[in-house]
Amino acid sequence: MLADLRMLAREAELFIADPVLRAAVLRDALAFAHLHRARLREIAADPEALRHAPDLAGTPNPPCAALDRLTARLAAAHRDDGLDGFGARALSQRLAAITLAQAGNERIAGTPLPFVYSLLIYRTIYIYCLLLPVALFAAAGWLTPVIVAIVAYVFLGLAEVSEEMSHPFGTAPNALPLDAICRAMEISLAPHLGEAAPEPLAPVEYLLS
């Protein structure tokens, strides 16, 4: 999505002659990015999203509303001969790629780890660790509890990793840094808007949000 927004800005420079329309299109694209981030993280009133698109916060699907408004701008420009057919086609294909990325992210966010999968993993680990001492005691002796504890730590740790990876858009330490990605979009689009680029987000306690 970051690459698509960068390409959208370059294609807008190529095909949209009106600087006012071009800036409006890019601002709608930034609004979409922040609204999409807020929706993935289930944040109802995200300050950055409200700053970029205060009028879209109450819509049923704010990210889609931002893309719809962007599409309406391009359609109006095409009707008024402010955008030729080749440019309209190129920009519509770019919006299609952004929409596909949006749908993919929403599918990932809306597909939790199946409960049966988690249940099977944990029950298998518990049974294995309970039976492991029987197999180890004759050879390991008093080291058996230490070995079983290490094995249990490894397998339970891997199970927790799979649980955490099933929520990649959250705010956990290992989740995707969506705030930093959106800031990278703002930095990339700032030159096309004639604005100074904001500073990249810095890690807080070695973590990017």
Side-chain angles (χ1 to χ4, degrees):
M1 190 172 287
L2 173 61
D4 279 324
L5 258 69
R6 286 171 173 166
M7 287 303 302
L8 177 68
R10 293 184 174 96
E11 289 167 353
E13 291 279 353
L14 287 172
F15 300 120
I16 303 176
D18 182 3
V20 176
L21 174 61
R22 187 165 61 243
V25 166
L26 297 185
R27 292 191 192 283
D28 282 343
L30 283 178
F32 159 76
H34 284 284
L35 291 167
H36 184 47
R37 172 184 54 79
R39 188 172 180 85
L40 289 175
R41 287 187 167 173
E42 300 180 350
I43 303 173
D46 181 74
E48 279 296 307
L50 291 175
R51 182 173 70 85
H52 283 84
D55 56 325
L56 300 180
T59 57
N61 191 323
C64 284
L67 286 183
D68 290 342
R69 186 166 67 183
L70 194 162
T71 303
R73 293 186 196 277
L74 296 177
H78 182 51
R79 286 193 302 268
D80 298 337
D81 296 327
L83 179 64
D84 62 25
F86 187 81
R89 178 179 176 82
L91 290 169
S92 67
Q93 289 176 339
R94 186 62 52 195
L95 291 179
I98 292 172
T99 302
L100 285 174
Q102 175 195 12
N105 291 338
E106 290 175 344
R107 184 168 62 249
I108 292 170
T111 307
L113 193 68
F115 175 72
V116 175
Y117 177 79
S118 301
L119 186 67
L120 180 62
I121 286 178
Y122 282 105
R123 285 187 176 177
T124 302
I125 292 172
Y126 293 149
I127 293 172
Y128 179 78
C129 290
L130 285 173
L131 296 178
L132 187 59
V134 177
L136 289 179
F137 185 76
W142 65 270
L143 285 175
T144 298
V146 177
I147 297 173
V148 172
I150 294 172
V151 171
Y153 172 78
V154 171
F155 282 116
L156 289 173
L158 290 173
E160 287 298 320
V161 167
S162 65
E163 289 280 351
E164 189 163 334
M165 289 179 65
S166 66
H167 304 285
F169 303 117
T171 55
N174 294 317
L176 292 173
L178 300 188
D179 293 333
I181 294 172
C182 285
R183 178 58 61 86
M185 294 176 182
E186 293 178 1
I187 294 170
S188 297
L189 268 60
H192 300 277
L193 291 168
E195 301 174 351
E199 292 293 326
L201 288 184
V204 178
E205 296 182 357
Y206 306 102
L207 293 174
L208 274 175
S209 61

